[in-house]
Amino acid sequence: MSGIRLRDVTKHYRVLKRREGLSGSIRDLVSRDYKTVKAVDGISLSIEQGELVGFIGPNGAGKSTTIKMLSGVLEPTSGTIEVDGFVPYRQRRRYVQRIGIVFGQRTQLWWDLAVIESFKLLKEVYGIDDAAYERNLGIFDEIAGLKELRGIPVRNLSLGQRMLCDIAASFIHDPGTIFLDEPTIGLDVEIRAKVRKIIKELNRLKGATVLLSSHDVGDIESLARRIVLIDKGKILYDGPTEKFNGIFGRYRTLRLDVHGLSEEGIARLKEKTAERAGADKGIVFGEVAGGWLGLSFDQDRIPLLELLTPILAAFEIKDIKVEEIAMEEVIRRVYEGALR
Amino acid sequence: MRLRSYRAIVRNEIQASLAYRGHFLFHLAGTAIYLVIASFLWKAVFASSGAEAIGGVGFERAYLYVGIAMSLAGLIQTNVDYSLNRLVMSGDIFRHLCRPQDFMGQLFAESIGDGIVNCAAIGMPALVLSYALSGTSPPDLVNVLLFVPAVAMAFFLNFLIDFLTGLAVFPFHSIRGVTNAKDAAILVLSGALVPLPFYPAGIRSVLEWLPFQALYNAPARILADGGAGISEALPFLARQAAWAIILFVLARVLFAAGLRKLVVNGG
């Protein structure tokens, strides 16, 4: 059976609880206290061949652990995983021949050698025939500009360039399924967009199933038609991106530079704004961080200008920023019932 | 098994090794200094004893033995214990595990790549220097022909011992203690520091059955005992082979067990 199937998958780690300080470290030598961390806590998921699914959640939600289990690197504590008819961790070597993997924080390229040498190695490792190899390199040259990077040692690449090469490398053997774990982590906006474009192109050209994880909502919104939201090892949402966007796309975070305001001033600003807008407008204030006060609001219920104009009139605000909703805010609102 | 895919690793590893040529220069210089000092040291040992030979071994043979052992040390070192430790603790082990190749096979192929470069850049020159400083004539062809498989076996055995040491990362999360113990054991028990023929007969007869002597003592004896030929070399080679099989099976079983306990760290 093709596609990805997970049923009631859990992964528990036993983690040493370290005591604090030097004396704690010494006591840890003789008596140890372990606790069980439920990194993945009962996930069931079904993805069809050729689908591009976005897997989102805050840091530590269990995304990477799930992807490591799907790649056959980790064995689940309980539950069953099947990818294209394979049980990943049991038939590792035969299985990984058919999948591609990118872990955003690591590279699978040969650090000291020119990029092309890693591709040549992968050609032998996966037993790719000359024609397919040349054809794929051609595709990478065209959509990722790989040609200019071929001769550069991997350690001399920028993070963004390396990521482009790593993604290309994960497609080199025409795998049926690709796992991309945080491929845009640490990249700037421009390279991010390029990475997204390449993933989309390759998915379209190759028809591979792609599961892409990110803790950035924006990444997924522009790529995937389906979103799986996960937090604390559990799936909170699994459905179309439009529905998700319909709910969270309207939320914005407004950031105000409140350097010029006193503590009381900030308190008064919060009070006045909440009072004027009314309790039903869904305005939530965050903490003041680095002189910036964040507040998230629902554009459908209160337009930005209506919210902002009275604030600017009454308080000394040096600068403003409007951002898309942050991951933590999505999670918080989901727990409060936003998706129900 | 696609042998070509492992050959590709060997090739890449050779290329990666060659990226750091300064490393060889200093390693070779260090080895040469050791060889020169060792020649003075052993000359002094023999001079102070006043005898032509100690335990039936003269200066030339004793020094040659030590020189061969030192040349081998540069050649067979794999550091795969540290590699394994690093791969597991950093989580980079995923890279090996997501390739359709045997894990141990990948590490061995990487080690061979290093070994080939080390052989050419350090082992061979050091061996030539050892012969020059010992003042003996070059070895017979028979001994050289027997020496080659003995070195290959020593390389494989050293890989296995390092690999087994590296597996300590699974229960202990650090291999430093175990590696130190292993290094000390090899230094003393293998003949790398003091030739085994100088050990008391009782201890020597025990040491000759341990895997450590197969790393240095076996190839050094085969090459240094000029004219001994096949009849003396065969028992050494047989013991090397026996240990290779035992340690290989042990490594596979323990690695499989360790992998089940694996926690891929980071990200």
Side-chain angles (χ1 to χ4, degrees):
Chain A
M1 200 156 70
S2 67
I4 301 171
R5 311 268 175 270
L6 286 92
R7 202 169 307 118
D8 298 323
V9 174
T10 66
K11 179 72 190 179
H12 296 178
Y13 294 117
R14 220 162 62 106
V15 180
L16 177 64
K17 272 201 280 188
R18 297 235 181 239
R19 296 184 179 90
E20 270 180 50
L22 179 61
S23 67
S25 295
I26 292 168
R27 278 193 294 155
D28 275 342
L29 284 176
V30 280
S31 89
R32 304 201 137 178
D33 193 8
Y34 292 93
K35 67 171 179 192
T36 303
V37 174
K38 293 174 180 168
V40 173
D41 193 14
I43 281 186
S44 297
L45 192 63
S46 187
I47 298 172
E48 303 310 318
Q49 181 63 40
E51 245 188 300
L52 198 165
V53 175
F55 198 36
I56 59 171
N59 289 322
K63 305 185 297 286
S64 287
T65 304
T66 305
I67 288 185
K68 280 166 190 162
M69 287 193 283
L70 283 167
S71 342
V73 175
L74 290 182
E75 199 173 322
T77 308
S78 68
T80 54
I81 300 179
E82 207 186 289
V83 182
D84 289 338
F86 283 87
V87 178
Y89 50 92
R90 292 236 181 89
Q91 297 143 292
R92 186 184 68 78
R93 278 171 64 188
R94 275 206 303 143
Y95 169 67
V96 294
Q97 175 77 35
R98 309 161 57 115
I99 61 166
I101 308 169
V102 172
F103 285 103
Q105 284 156 324
R106 311 174 188 287
T107 180
Q108 58 162 325
L109 306 172
W110 222 275
W111 195 244
D112 291 318
L113 298 181
V115 172
I116 192 67
E117 302 294 341
S118 291
F119 281 87
K120 281 190 204 154
L121 177 90
L122 293 173
K123 177 180 186 291
E124 299 299 334
V125 166
Y126 291 105
I128 306 164
D129 66 60
D130 294 344
Y133 177 74
E134 288 303 332
R135 194 178 58 236
N136 282 342
L137 278 189
I139 292 174
F140 302 149
D141 284 347
E142 195 181 313
I143 66 175
L146 198 73
K147 195 152 209 157
E148 294 128 55
L149 306 177
R150 281 187 188 191
I152 303 174
V154 173
R155 63 183 152 151
N156 295 352
L157 294 177
S158 72
L159 184 61
Q161 291 171 325
R162 207 205 73 207
M163 189 46 62
L164 296 180
C165 293
D166 256 311
I167 291 171
S170 74
F171 279 87
I172 187 82
H173 54 295
D174 288 321
T177 309
I178 306 223
F179 303 111
L180 302 164
D181 190 20
E182 304 266 8
T184 57
I185 201 162
L187 302 181
D188 61 39
V189 181
E190 203 180 320
I191 297 277
R192 250 184 147 91
K194 196 167 181 192
V195 166
R196 289 201 288 248
K197 198 188 104 203
I198 286 161
I199 294 170
K200 206 164 193 168
E201 276 291 296
L202 287 172
N203 168 251
R204 193 179 59 80
L205 279 170
K206 301 287 184 185
T209 313
V210 177
L211 181 66
L212 165 88
S213 87
S214 180
H215 65 278
D216 187 275
V217 186
D219 265 355
I220 308 285
E221 283 177 347
S222 51
L223 260 179
R225 298 250 291 275
R226 175 177 164 199
I227 279 184
V228 176
L229 175 68
I230 162 175
D231 184 49
K232 299 193 179 105
K234 287 193 161 75
I235 291 179
L236 299 184
Y237 174 81
D238 178 358
T241 307
E242 294 96 74
K243 186 185 168 200
F244 187 89
N245 270 347
I247 295 161
F248 296 107
R250 341 185 284 250
Y251 286 101
R252 289 289 180 275
T253 299
L254 171 66
R255 293 191 194 282
L256 304 167
D257 186 343
V258 291
H259 272 105
L261 293 183
S262 62
E263 295 259 337
E264 299 98 74
I266 293 170
R268 217 157 35 113
L269 188 157
K270 286 186 183 175
E271 197 186 312
K272 286 258 176 187
T273 306
E275 203 178 285
R276 195 177 303 112
D280 60 333
K281 296 294 194 289
I283 295 174
V284 179
F285 284 96
E287 300 289 309
V288 178
W292 287 84
L293 172 69
L295 66 136
S296 73
F297 64 101
D298 180 344
Q299 287 192 110
D300 282 3
R301 285 188 275 178
I302 179 162
L304 174 63
L305 278 181
E306 193 178 309
L307 176 73
L308 190 58
T309 314
I311 296 178
L312 293 180
F315 299 94
E316 194 203 340
I317 304 295
K318 294 193 166 149
D319 198 0
I320 62 160
K321 275 192 271 191
V322 182
E323 292 168 358
E324 278 178 34
I325 188 166
M327 194 69 231
E328 302 72 47
E329 197 54 33
V330 171
I331 297 291
R332 206 183 56 73
R333 289 185 187 259
V334 168
Y335 283 126
E336 283 174 0
L339 286 166
R340 259 179 250 138
Chain B
M1 196 189 293
R2 274 199 308 267
L3 215 55
R4 277 172 67 104
S5 75
Y6 295 94
R7 234 170 35 216
I9 297 180
V10 174
R11 193 193 57 209
N12 266 23
E13 197 61 39
I14 291 174
Q15 279 181 271
S17 274
L18 293 174
Y20 299 101
R21 54 186 177 178
H23 161 81
F24 302 109
L25 226 58
F26 280 92
H27 194 157
L28 188 58
T31 304
I33 291 167
Y34 174 91
L35 288 173
V36 172
I37 292 172
S39 84
F40 290 126
L41 189 76
W42 284 96
K43 264 178 197 147
V45 168
F46 277 89
S48 70
S49 80
E52 274 292 296
I54 302 168
V57 181
F59 166 77
E60 283 90 1
R61 246 186 78 206
Y63 176 72
L64 198 54
Y65 182 106
V66 174
I68 293 168
M70 185 63 191
S71 313
L72 283 175
L75 194 161
I76 69 175
Q77 58 163 0
T78 65
N79 293 330
V80 84
D81 43 355
Y82 287 103
S83 309
L84 197 52
N85 183 59
R86 188 175 42 74
L87 289 175
V88 171
M89 289 318 286
S90 68
D92 279 343
I93 193 170
F94 98 89
R95 181 172 90 168
H96 292 76
L97 293 179
C98 1
R99 289 190 177 149
Q101 290 172 298
D102 182 68
F103 178 77
M104 233 171 116
Q106 292 179 60
L107 284 195
F108 190 56
E110 289 172 16
S111 298
I112 289 179
D114 285 341
I116 289 172
V117 177
N118 284 336
C119 177
I122 298 157
M124 299 296 273
L127 213 53
V128 171
L129 187 63
S130 302
Y131 268 93
L133 289 170
S134 74
T136 47
S137 50
D140 296 340
L141 185 63
V142 186
N143 292 58
V144 173
L145 289 179
L146 290 165
F147 179 66
V148 173
V151 172
M153 289 294 251
F155 181 83
F156 184 48
L157 278 164
N158 196 43
F159 169 81
L160 290 171
I161 290 172
D162 281 354
F163 188 87
L164 282 163
T165 310
L167 290 178
V169 71
F170 288 114
F172 303 138
H173 304 299
S174 164
I175 59 153
R176 209 185 288 172
V178 184
T179 293
N180 282 347
K182 175 215 58 171
D183 286 343
I186 287 181
L187 200 61
V188 178
L189 306 178
S190 70
L193 192 63
V194 177
L196 286 201
F198 289 136
Y199 281 60
I203 295 174
R204 198 174 62 216
S205 59
V206 176
L207 294 188
E208 277 176 354
W209 289 99
L210 295 182
F212 303 109
Q213 69 84 28
L215 302 180
Y216 295 112
N217 181 57
R221 287 283 292 281
I222 288 174
L223 194 62
D225 289 357
I230 297 170
S231 58
E232 204 205 325
L234 273 184
F236 281 122
L237 290 171
R239 256 173 285 170
Q240 281 185 315
W243 274 114
I245 293 167
I246 293 168
L247 296 182
F248 179 75
V249 172
L250 196 63
R252 305 235 32 129
V253 172
L254 291 180
F255 176 69
L259 202 55
R260 250 173 270 126
K261 283 186 56 181
L262 176 71
V263 175
V264 176
N265 294 322

